[in-house]
Amino acid sequence: MSTNNTPKTYNAGDMLEAYSLAFETTAQLQTLISQISKSTAQIKIYAQESNIHPYTFSELESLILISQFLSENHVNTFDVEREKYQNEFDLSNAQYDAGDLFNAYSLAHEATLWLQTMFYQIKTEAKAIRQKIVKLGSGIFTNLERLIHIAEYLADNHSDTLNIEREKSETEWEANKKAVSL
């Protein structure tokens, strides 16, 4: 009885699927960051009309800009990878292993964790501003707070999904390395 130690292989379609998931989840978070930025700008205008110094929003605006940069960077990276594997899918029979999927899902998971951290920081800073300028009332912050909560929820959910895929690929990759070394 012979044992088959040949690791499972994947094709460009599998890689395309991984990077498409990464692209779409990051693009969703990017959209929320844009909406958080718009909501913050509206609050800032209202605050300036109430004689609140615009520097009050500097830290929050910086965090939003960093989040926009990170999401844009990751969306572009994942889009390039999607295009690469789409072209390969159409033109070749290239084969990949679980390690390649692990790398794709790890990158996507890390990107989501970064954005998750930024949403936490944005939420903390928005709360601090709200406490500083209580004279505006809490209602003005409702939309911003809801957007931040949605972003946190989606980032957490996406992070969990990507981590599950990352761990599955890692487990398979490690098992394949052991099988090949036998």
Side-chain angles (χ1 to χ4, degrees):
M1 177 175 185
S2 72
T3 318
N4 186 358
N5 287 341
T6 306
K8 180 178 178 182
T9 58
Y10 297 91
N11 62 30
D14 298 310
M15 296 299 293
L16 176 61
E17 185 177 309
Y19 281 110
S20 290
L21 177 62
F23 173 84
E24 290 171 21
T25 58
T26 307
Q28 289 172 4
L29 297 175
Q30 183 180 40
T31 298
L32 285 165
I33 293 165
S34 176
Q35 291 303 308
I36 289 168
S37 179
K38 288 177 184 177
S39 183
T40 300
Q42 290 171 339
I43 295 168
K44 184 178 177 182
I45 290 168
Y46 185 73
Q48 286 174 322
E49 290 170 355
S50 299
N51 296 319
I52 295 171
H53 201 284
Y55 291 136
T56 304
F57 293 85
S58 295
E59 186 79 15
L60 178 58
E61 290 172 319
S62 292
L63 290 168
I64 291 168
L65 284 172
I66 292 166
S67 299
Q68 287 172 323
F69 172 79
L70 288 173
S71 65
E72 178 82 18
N73 187 342
H74 287 111
V75 161
N76 290 339
T77 298
F78 298 141
D79 196 32
V80 166
E81 291 298 317
R82 278 187 337 159
E83 190 172 311
K84 171 183 156 186
Y85 290 109
Q86 178 63 54
N87 292 337
E88 246 182 59
F89 184 71
D90 294 340
L91 301 173
S92 78
N93 291 325
Q95 296 292 305
Y96 302 92
D97 65 15
D100 297 310
L101 283 176
F102 170 72
N103 290 337
Y105 286 120
S106 291
L107 179 61
H109 180 251
E110 186 70 22
T112 306
L113 288 176
W114 286 7
L115 292 173
Q116 196 174 22
T117 300
M118 293 306 298
F119 293 135
Y120 174 78
Q121 293 301 110
I122 288 168
K123 179 175 145 181
T124 300
E125 187 60 27
K127 281 182 180 180
I129 292 171
R130 181 178 172 181
Q131 291 172 349
K132 283 181 196 174
I133 56 177
V134 292
K135 72 179 185 179
L136 290 180
S138 62
I140 187 114
F141 288 91
T142 302
N143 189 51
L144 176 61
E145 291 170 342
R146 286 181 181 158
L147 287 167
I148 294 168
H149 288 302
I150 292 167
E152 284 183 313
Y153 170 79
L154 282 179
D156 187 47
N157 190 347
H158 293 331
S159 176
D160 289 346
T161 299
L162 293 165
N163 193 45
I164 288 167
E165 293 302 320
R166 184 189 69 78
E167 287 176 347
K168 283 190 329 191
S169 299
E170 181 180 35
T171 300
E172 181 182 336
W173 187 38
E174 292 299 327
N176 289 346
K177 288 193 297 187
K178 286 180 185 175
V180 169
S181 68
L182 293 177

